[in-house]
C-alpha cells in the first residue's frame, strides 16, 4: 500500500470510494467527482488530504484534514483541525485508516494545530472505534453525534 498526498487527478478514485460507501449504506453525503475535488482535494481550508492506493494506483481510501475557520458549518472551534476518513468497504479493517493517520498527524503538527476534531454519528460504531484506536477521545455528545478530539500537545 502507498500513502501519498492527493492530486486533482485522484478525484474520480475518491469519488469511487465515496460511491461504494454510499451503496454499502455507510454514507449519505454527495459522492461525485466535483464534490471530491472541491470538498477534499482542493478545499480552500484544506491542510492535507492523503490517499492510500494499491500498487497499481487504485485508491483504497483517503483522509482529509481541514482547518476550522470562523463560522464553519461543523461548529468546530476555529483553529482546530477537522478530520474525515473514508475507506472503500472492501478494504476496511486492513490497517489503512491507521496508516493514513500517521501522515495526517504529521501534517497537523507541521501546521501547528493543537487539536483535531472528529465528529461521528452515534450509530457509526466502526468510526467511533477507529478514532478511539488512533488516540481520539470523546469531548462532547449530543442527540446525533459524538465529538472526539485528538490532542497534539
Ligand atoms: C471507520 C473507518 C475509517 C476505519 O478505517 P479502517 O481502515 O477500516 O481502520 P483500521 O483497519 O486502520 O482499524 C484500526 C482500528 O480501529 C478499530 N476499528 C476500525 N473499524 C472497526 C470496526 N468496524 N469495529 C470495531 N473496531 C474497529 C480497531 O481497533 C482497529 O484495529 P484492529 O483491526 O487491529 O482491531 C472505515 O471503516 C470507514 O471508512 N468507514 C466508513 C466511513 C466512516 O464511517 N468514516 C468515519 C467517520 S468520518
Amino acid at each position: 500500500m502507498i500513502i501519498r498526498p492527493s492530486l486533482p487527478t485522484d478525484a474520480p478514485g475518491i469519488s469511487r470510494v465515496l460511491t461504494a460507501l454510499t451503496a454499502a449504506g455507510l454514507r449519505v453525503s454527495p459522492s461525485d467527482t466535483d464534490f471530491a475535488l472541491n470538498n477534499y482535494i482542493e478545499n480552500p481550508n484544506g491542510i492535507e488530504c492523503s490517499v492510500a492506493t494499491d500498487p497499481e494506483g487504485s485508491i483504497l481510501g483517503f483522509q482529509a484534514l481541514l482547518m476550522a475557520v470562523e463560522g464553519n458549518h461543523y461548529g468546530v472551534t476555529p483553529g482546530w483541525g477537522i478530520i474525515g476518513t473514508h475507506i472503500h468497504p472492501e478494504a476496511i479493517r486492513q490497517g489503512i485508516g491507521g496508516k493514513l493517520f500517521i501522515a495526517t498527524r504529521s501534517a497537523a503538527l507541521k501546521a501547528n494545530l493543537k487539536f483535531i476534531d472528529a465528529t461521528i454519528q452515534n450509530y457509526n460504531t466502526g468510526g467511533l472505534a477507529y478514532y478511539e484506536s488512533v488516540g481520539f477521545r470523546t469531548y462532547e455528545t449530543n442527540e446525533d453525534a459524538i465529538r472526539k478530539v485528538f490532542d497534539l500537545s
Side-chain angles (χ1 to χ4, degrees):
M1 189 207 314
I2 295 155
I3 307 279
R4 60 164 174 77
S6 64
L7 299 165
T9 47
D10 293 322
I14 285 181
S15 169
R16 268 194 296 277
V17 169
L18 297 174
T19 303
L21 284 168
T22 304
L26 295 168
R27 177 178 176 82
V28 289
S29 302
S31 305
D32 55 274
T33 302
D34 281 351
F35 184 83
L37 191 65
N38 299 328
N39 208 55
Y40 298 117
I41 304 171
E42 291 187 338
N43 189 312
N45 300 315
I47 295 171
E48 174 88 355
C49 178
S50 302
V51 293
T53 77
D54 69 12
E56 284 74 46
S58 286
I59 294 181
L60 303 171
F62 69 98
Q63 188 162 63
L65 178 67
L66 308 178
M67 174 69 82
V69 294
E70 212 55 66
N72 68 86
H73 69 264
Y74 303 100
V76 173
T77 306
W80 286 26
I82 301 172
I83 195 170
T85 314
H86 303 277
I87 309 299
H88 193 290
E90 287 170 11
I92 62 171
R93 214 68 194 267
Q94 294 173 19
I96 298 173
K99 291 201 175 78
L100 282 167
F101 190 64
I102 295 170
T104 300
R105 184 177 178 278
S106 151
L109 286 168
K110 252 189 230 154
N112 280 322
L113 291 185
K114 301 283 179 278
F115 299 102
I116 306 173
D117 170 277
T119 299
I120 308 121
Q121 295 301 301
N122 50 21
Y123 56 78
N124 185 353
T125 49
L128 291 165
Y130 163 69
Y131 282 115
E132 192 75 25
S133 84
V134 294
F136 283 74
R137 295 295 173 257
T138 298
Y139 74 95
E140 197 179 301
T141 57
N142 63 43
E143 223 172 86
D144 306 317
I146 294 177
R147 312 195 84 158
K148 291 182 176 290
V149 64
F150 187 87
D151 185 342
L152 288 142
S153 59

